[in-house]
C-alpha cells in the first residue's frame, strides 16, 4: 500500500489526514482552508448541494434544506429531510465522506494503492458500525477499515512523542464522550479499559445554554406565548438563537464575557421585532455545564477503576475534541479525577484523523479481514540449503533483529546484508544456523534490505527470496478491547428449548478475536428444500434473557444451499468467526 488515509467522521465536524510512513499531514478543506469540515449538507432551491462551512452557516436560516447531526442516527431507520428529498444517515455520511476525500491531492485520490481508516465511537454497536461501512461503500472509498476513536487518539499521542507510562484519553466531541486508559511501554500501546457516554458532547452543552439562559431571557424581554417553542412561527427564532449560543460558547474559550446577539427576523405577540442581546459570563456557563461535566468525570473514574488502576497510576490526561479547547473544562476534569497533569500535546480537532492515518499503515490491506500486519516474519529462501530468514518486521526502535535458520549444516558458506536505501553493508559473515544480526533502521517507515549468500568457492547461491522489508513505526498497538459482548443464540441443552447466548466475544476481551465454534443442528434439512436453520446474533450481556439484548442479524442455512444429501438433526455445524479491531464481526458457516 502506498497511501494511508485516516478520516474522523464526526457528529459536528470531520477531518481527513494521510500518513506516508514517516509524516502525517492534515488536509485542509479546499474552499475555506480549515483543518476541519462541518458535517453538514445544504441543498438550494435549484437542487445544488453545498457542504461543510457553507452548509453549516445556512442551517439556522433554512434548516429544512440542511442536514446536520446525522451521525447520531447511524444504524437506525430515521430519515433526514433535505429540501424535497429524504436521505438515510448513511447517505448523508457518504456525501460528507466524498467531500472530505476531495481535500486529498489528485495522486492519492486517483491511486489504487490507498487504505482508508474511518473512526467510530467506542460505544458504537454492530448496526452503527455496519452503517458506517455502508456509507464508505456509497462514497466509493475502496479499501476501508473501521477503528475506535480512542485508539486513533492514542496513536496521535504517540506521534507527539513516545513516553512510557499510563495515560488517559478524554475525547469529548460534538455528540459523544469516549474515555480510554492506555499503557505505553517502549512504543507499544495496550488499551487497558474504555468507557463513554453515547449522548454527551458539545451539542448537549449548547442545549444547556439555550434552556437556562436564552429561553428565560426571551420570555422576560418579549411577549411570547407559553408554548412558543412548539409554534412554527418561532422556529426561525429558536434556530438562530441556538446558532448564536454555539458561537458564544466557542468564544468563551478566550473571553470572560460574551454576548449572544443578532437579528432574528421574528416578531413577538406585540409586534416588536426580537433582537438577541444576551450576556453570558464564563462563571455562569461553568455552573450550567457542571452536571454534564461531572457525569463525564464519573464515567472517567469508572473507566480508571475498570482498568484496575487509581488516579495516582495515571501520568496524564490527553484532551481530544472541540469542547476540550475550553480550559475551564479541562481544569475541572483534571481536578475532579485527581490526575496530576492535563495535556494538550495533540491538536484536539484533528488528533483522531491523524491517529487513524497512522493506524492505517499497520493494517494488512491484502486480505478482506483487514487484520493487522504481523510484527514478525519468516521468509523461506534458498531451498537447496533449507534456508529461511526470521526477523522483526515492525519495530518501534531504530533497530531490528534478523536471524538465519538452516535445515542442515554447511561449511565455508558466507552471507552479506545490504541496505537498498542507504548503501550500508554488513560485510561478509559466516553462514550458520541461528546466525543473528541487528539491523539499523535508518528512517521512519519502510526500510529495505537485500541478502546475498555465497558458497565455499565464493559463488552466489540462488535465493528464491532475497529482499526483506522492515517498518520503523511510530508505535504499535497491542490489545484493543471489545466494547460489546456478541453471542449466538442456542438452545440451553438438547432437551430444552430455552434460548441462551453462546458468546463469541465478551466486553473487554482483546481484539481482534478469531476462533471456531461448533453447534448442533436442531432439525433436519434436505437438499433443495426450503427448510432452514437460523443462526441469530445478539449484542449484549443478557445471556439468558436473550431478547433483552440488541439483535444484530442472522445467518441462514437452507436446503437450497447444497445440491444433495441432508443435514441431520444433531449434526455438527462448524462456525468460523472474526471480530476485528473495530468490533465488527465476520461469520462463516
Amino acid at each position: 500500500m502506498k497511501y494511508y488515509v485516516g478520516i474522523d467522521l464526526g457528529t459536528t465536524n470531520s477531518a481527513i489526514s494521510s500518513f506516508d510512513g514517516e509524516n502525517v499531514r492534515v488536509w485542509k478543506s479546499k474552499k475555506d482552508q480549515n483543518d476541519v469540515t462541518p458535517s453538514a449538507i445544504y441543498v438550494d432551491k435549484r437542487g445544488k448541494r453545498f457542504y461543510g462551512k457553507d452548509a453549516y452557516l445556512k442551517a439556522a436560516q433554512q434548516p429544512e434544506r440542511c442536514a446536520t447531526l446525522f451521525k447520531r442516527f447511524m444504524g437506525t431507520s430515521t430519515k433526514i429531510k433535505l429540501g424535497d428529498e429524504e436521505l438515510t444517515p448513511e447517505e448523508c455520511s457518504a456525501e460528507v465522506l466524498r467531500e472530505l476525500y476531495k481535500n486529498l491531492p489528485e495522486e492519492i485520490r486517483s491511486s489504487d494503492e490507498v487504505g482508508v481508516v474511518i473512526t467510530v465511537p467506542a460505544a458504537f454497536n454492530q448496526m452503527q458500525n455496519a452503517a458506517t461501512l455502508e456509507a464508505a461503500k456509497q462514497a466509493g472509498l475502496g479499501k476501508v477499515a473501521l477503528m475506535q476513536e480512542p485508539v486513533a487518539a492514542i496513536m496521535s499521542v504517540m506521534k507527539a512523542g513516545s513516553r512510557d507510562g499510563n495515560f488517559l484519553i478524554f475525547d469529548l466531541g460534538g455528540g459523544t464522550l469516549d474515555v480510554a486508559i492506555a499503557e505505553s511501554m517502549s512504543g507499544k500501546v495496550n488499551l487497558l479499559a474504555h468507557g463513554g457516554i453515547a449522548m454527551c458532547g458539545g451539542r448537549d452543552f449548547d442545549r444547556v445554554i439555550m434552556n437556562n439562559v436564552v429561553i428565560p431571557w426571551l420570555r422576560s424581554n418579549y411577549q411570547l406565548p407559553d408554548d412558543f417553542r412548539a409554534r412554527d412561527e418561532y422556529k426561525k427564532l429558536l434556530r438562530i438563537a441556538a446558532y448564536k449560543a454555539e458561537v458564544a460558547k466557542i468564544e468563551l474559550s478566550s473571553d470572560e464575557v460574551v454576548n449572544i446577539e443578532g437579528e432574528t427576523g421574528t416578531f413577538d405577540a406585540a409586534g416588536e421585532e426580537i433582537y438577541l442581546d444576551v450576556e453570558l459570563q464564563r462563571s455562569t456557563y461553568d455552573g450550567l455545564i457542571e452536571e454534564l461535566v461531572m457525569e463525564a468525570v464519573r464515567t472517567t473514574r469508572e473507566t480508571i477503576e475498570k482498568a484496575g488502576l487509581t488516579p495516582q497510576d495515571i501520568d496524564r490526561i490527553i484532551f481530544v475534541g472541540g469542547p476540550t479547547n475550553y480550559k475551564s473544562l479541562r481544569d475541572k476534569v483534571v481536578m475532579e479525577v485527581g490526575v496530576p497533569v492535563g495535556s494538550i500535546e495533540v491538536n484536539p480537532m484533528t488528533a483522531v484523523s491523524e491517529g487513524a492515518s497512522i493506524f492505517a499503515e499497520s493494517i494488512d490491506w491484502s486480505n478482506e479481514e483487514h487484520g493487522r500486519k504481523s510484527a514478525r516474519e519468516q521468509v523461506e529462501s534458498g531451498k537447496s540449503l533449507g534456508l529461511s530468514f526470521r526477523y522483526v518486521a515492525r519495530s518501534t526502535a531504530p533497530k531490528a533483529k534478523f536471524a538465519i535458520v538452516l535445515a542442515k549444516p554447511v561449511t565455508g558458506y558466507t552471507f552479506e546484508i545490504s541496505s537498498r536505501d542507504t548503501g550500508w553493508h554488513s560485510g561478509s559473515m559466516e553462514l550458520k544456523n541461528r546466525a543473528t544480526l541487528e539491523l539499523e533502521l535508518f528512517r521512519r517507515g519502510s526500510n529495505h534490505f537485500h541478502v546475498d549468500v555465497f558458497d565455499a568457492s565464493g559463488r552466489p547461491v540462488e535465493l528464491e527470496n532475497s529482499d526483506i522489508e522492515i517498518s520503523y513505526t511510530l508505535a504499535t498497538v497491542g490489545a484493543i478491547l471489545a466494547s460489546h459482548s456478541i453471542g449466538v443464540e442456542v438452545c440451553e441443552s438438547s432437551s430444552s428449548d430455552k434460548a441462551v447466548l453462546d458468546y463469541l466475544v465478551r466486553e473487554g476481551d482483546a481484539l481482534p478475536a478469531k476462533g471456531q465454534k461448533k453447534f448442533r443442528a436442531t432439525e433436519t434439512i434436505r437438499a433443495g428444500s426450503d427448510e432452514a436453520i437460523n443462526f441469530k446474533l445478539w449484542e449484549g450481556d443478557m445471556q439468558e434473557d436473550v431478547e433483552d439484548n440488541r439483535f444484530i442479524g442472522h445467518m441462514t442455512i437452507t436446503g437450497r444451499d447444497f445440491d444433495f444429501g441432508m443435514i441431520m438433526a444433531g449434526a455438527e455445524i462448524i462456525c468460523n468467526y472474526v471480530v476485528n479491531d473495530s468490533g465488527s464481526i465476520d461469520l462463516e458457516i
Side-chain angles (χ1 to χ4, degrees):
M1 197 61 67
K2 192 174 181 181
Y3 302 106
Y4 306 103
V5 173
I7 296 178
D8 175 9
L9 183 61
T11 304
T12 307
N13 294 295
S14 296
I16 187 166
S17 301
S18 66
F19 179 57
D20 62 5
E22 296 182 65
N23 301 300
V24 177
R25 177 167 178 176
V26 177
W27 295 96
K28 296 180 181 293
S29 54
K30 293 289 187 183
K31 187 171 183 180
D32 49 36
Q33 290 296 293
N34 286 330
D35 286 344
V36 298
T37 298
S39 304
I41 310 167
Y42 167 75
V43 58
D44 67 13
K45 293 180 180 178
R46 296 168 298 173
K48 186 177 179 181
R49 275 172 159 71
F50 298 84
Y51 303 92
K53 187 176 180 181
D54 287 345
Y56 176 74
L57 293 175
K58 296 282 188 182
Q61 296 287 344
Q62 296 177 282
E64 72 281 358
R65 294 191 169 277
C66 290
T68 60
L69 305 181
F70 36 82
K71 180 176 177 177
R72 286 190 162 188
F73 304 107
M74 291 290 276
T76 73
S77 58
T78 302
K79 292 298 179 69
I80 311 297
K81 186 75 172 175
L82 185 62
D84 297 327
E85 299 179 67
E86 279 192 343
L87 303 180
T88 64
E90 294 80 12
E91 289 170 331
C92 291
S93 295
E95 296 209 16
V96 170
L97 287 170
R98 276 194 292 268
E99 190 65 16
L100 279 172
Y101 214 68
K102 291 178 184 177
N103 296 340
L104 297 172
E106 177 65 26
E107 57 263 38
I108 297 180
R109 285 186 283 123
S110 61
S111 174
D112 294 330
E113 294 284 317
V114 182
V116 180
V117 167
I118 301 175
T119 61
V120 293
F124 257 26
N125 58 43
Q126 290 291 313
M127 307 302 285
Q128 291 167 310
N129 284 346
T132 304
L133 285 173
E134 176 59 27
K137 181 180 179 181
Q138 291 183 23
L141 296 193
K143 294 180 179 179
V144 175
L146 303 182
M147 74 173 300
Q148 299 171 11
E149 288 171 4
V151 180
I154 289 167
M155 296 300 287
S156 190
V157 170
M158 300 307 291
K159 173 183 72 71
S162 175
R163 285 185 287 175
D164 289 351
N166 300 321
F167 54 92
L168 185 152
I169 299 291
F170 186 91
D171 183 359
L172 184 64
T176 58
L177 169 71
D178 274 324
V179 179
I181 312 295
E183 171 194 57
S184 173
M185 293 293 291
S186 302
K188 183 176 182 179
V189 178
N190 288 311
L191 193 62
L192 304 180
H194 58 51
I197 305 173
M199 293 290 183
C200 178
R203 288 294 177 172
D204 301 285
F205 293 177
D206 299 342
R207 189 170 58 252
V208 167
I209 296 173
M210 279 291 290
N211 292 343
N212 295 278
V213 177
V214 178
I215 297 303
W217 183 89
L218 286 170
R219 290 189 186 280
S220 64
N221 285 274
Y222 294 97
Q223 294 185 33
L224 297 167
D226 292 340
D227 63 344
F228 85 97
R229 299 182 74 173
R231 294 197 180 189
D232 289 341
E233 60 264 37
Y234 296 108
K235 295 294 185 186
K236 181 180 178 182
L237 164 65
L238 294 170
R239 292 192 301 267
I240 293 174
Y243 169 69
K244 296 293 184 179
E246 181 186 4
V247 172
K249 175 196 70 176
I250 295 170
E251 291 174 347
L252 281 175
S253 295
S254 56
D255 300 330
E256 288 288 339
V257 182
V258 297
N259 268 18
I260 302 169
E261 58 184 2
E263 297 178 356
T264 68
T266 309
F267 298 84
D268 70 358
E272 183 180 353
E273 184 176 0
I274 299 174
Y275 184 90
L276 293 171
D277 189 13
V278 190
E279 182 180 279
L280 178 60
Q281 297 185 6
R282 184 179 287 182
S283 58
T284 302
Y285 176 64
D286 289 346
L288 293 174
I289 67 171
E290 182 170 10
E291 184 177 342
L292 285 169
V293 174
M294 290 307 297
E295 185 180 359
V297 166
R298 285 190 292 272
T299 297
T300 302
R301 289 171 177 160
E302 290 169 2
T303 308
I304 294 173
E305 290 178 9
K306 193 188 296 183
L309 303 174
T310 68
Q312 290 71 39
D313 297 319
I314 308 295
D315 298 297
R316 65 200 191 279
I317 299 179
I318 309 296
F319 288 100
V320 177
T324 66
N325 278 312
Y326 187 52
K327 185 176 183 299
S328 296
L329 183 148
R330 297 198 303 269
D331 291 345
K332 181 76 172 177
V333 172
V334 168
M335 181 186 71
E336 292 289 345
V337 174
V339 172
V341 178
S343 174
I344 50 172
E345 60 197 74
V346 298
N347 184 333
M349 301 297 288
T350 62
V352 170
S353 73
E354 292 179 73
S357 69
I358 296 170
F359 189 82
E361 185 274 332
S362 71
I363 291 177
D364 182 359
W365 295 99
S366 64
N367 61 62
E368 291 185 5
E369 293 177 3
H370 296 334
R372 277 179 268 165
K373 294 174 182 173
S374 174
R376 297 180 180 274
E377 292 287 351
Q378 177 166 331
V379 174
E380 303 299 328
S381 184
K383 291 181 180 178
S384 61
L385 301 176
L387 180 150
S388 64
F389 307 140
R390 295 180 184 176
Y391 57 95
V392 174
R394 300 179 59 77
S395 173
T396 57
K399 294 181 178 181
K401 287 186 176 180
F402 171 89
I404 284 182
V405 178
L406 291 171
K408 57 185 180 181
V410 295
T411 303
Y413 280 64
T414 60
F415 74 98
E416 300 174 359
I417 302 179
S418 59
S419 168
R420 288 195 176 276
D421 304 314
T422 67
W424 170 86
H425 195 278
S426 68
S428 181
M429 293 174 289
E430 180 187 357
L431 183 68
K432 59 182 179 180
N433 190 35
R434 305 292 180 181
T436 60
L437 184 67
E438 214 167 42
L439 301 178
E440 295 279 351
L441 306 180
F442 296 97
R443 65 181 185 188
R444 290 284 186 186
S446 296
N447 290 258
H448 303 89
F449 297 91
H450 180 78
V451 183
D452 288 300
V453 174
F454 302 93
D455 65 17
S457 301
R459 293 186 297 266
V461 175
E462 183 178 347
L463 301 178
E464 290 78 14
N465 297 291
S466 57
D467 292 320
I468 64 171
E469 180 179 335
I470 299 176
S471 292
Y472 179 16
T473 64
L474 289 169
T476 60
V477 176
I480 295 176
L481 308 182
S483 302
H484 305 280
S485 300
I486 301 170
V488 178
E489 181 180 330
V490 297
C491 291
E492 187 176 36
S493 67
S494 58
S495 60
S496 171
D497 291 332
K498 182 181 178 181
V500 295
L501 287 186
D502 188 346
Y503 283 101
L504 307 181
V505 66
R506 299 299 295 257
E507 179 184 351
D509 285 353
L511 298 179
K514 189 174 185 178
Q516 187 179 88
K517 287 279 187 178
K518 295 180 180 179
F519 303 108
R520 295 286 179 181
T522 54
E523 55 189 280
T524 298
I525 302 178
R526 294 170 177 80
S529 72
D530 291 328
E531 297 161 336
I533 298 175
N534 286 316
F535 291 79
K536 293 183 180 179
L537 283 168
W538 299 84
E539 189 173 64
D541 292 298
M542 306 299 291
Q543 185 171 11
E544 295 190 356
D545 299 320
V546 171
E547 294 190 356
D548 288 341
N549 296 295
R550 182 184 298 105
F551 178 65
I552 298 173
H554 64 267
M555 177 175 281
T556 302
I557 300 176
T558 73
R560 296 188 302 276
D561 293 326
F562 53 99
D563 297 326
F564 59 89
M566 64 178 67
I567 298 175
M568 298 293 295
E572 187 174 78
I573 298 175
I574 297 174
C575 169
N576 295 300
Y577 66 91
V578 176
V579 184
N580 62 27
D581 291 319
S582 68
S584 297
I585 187 165
D586 183 22
L587 196 66
E588 185 180 87
I589 294 174

